Amino acid sequence: MPVPKRDDRGDGRGGRCRRRSLMHDHVALAEIELCGELMIAASAAEGPLSAARIDEVLRRAADELDDLPRPAR
């Protein structure tokens, strides 16, 4: 027996799941960006990154991410 659909999109998930998915996408992209910044800093360093340098890189990257427009929820 088929499950009744909850909306007109045809998949029955509803709008809340789509918004939640977009929010998770935004968070995942931000995490990828932060990891990329750490990799760039590590490749430019002559040795292991200190905890202070890691904090500096993450703070700067997070500030830049805060300046980007966010998707509508």
Side-chain angles (χ1 to χ4, degrees), residues 39-61:
M39 285 189 268
I40 292 167
S43 67
E46 293 187 17
L49 295 178
S50 67
R53 178 66 177 132
I54 291 170
D55 287 344
E56 177 187 332
V57 169
L58 292 177
R59 266 192 223 102
R60 187 189 71 237

Side-chain angles (χ1 to χ4, degrees), residues 11-67:
D11 62 5
R13 292 186 311 164
R16 262 186 20 196
C17 287
R18 175 183 257 171
R19 284 189 302 275
R20 194 174 314 141
S21 177
L22 289 174
M23 184 175 70
H24 288 291
D25 289 349
H26 177 71
V27 171
L29 290 173
E31 289 175 356
I32 291 167
E33 182 72 26
L34 293 174
C35 288
E37 292 295 326
L38 281 175
M39 285 189 268
I40 292 167
S43 67
E46 293 187 17
L49 295 178
S50 67
R53 178 66 177 132
I54 291 170
D55 287 344
E56 177 187 332
V57 169
L58 292 177
R59 266 192 223 102
R60 187 189 71 237
D63 288 345
E64 290 173 8
L65 287 173
D66 285 341
D67 293 339

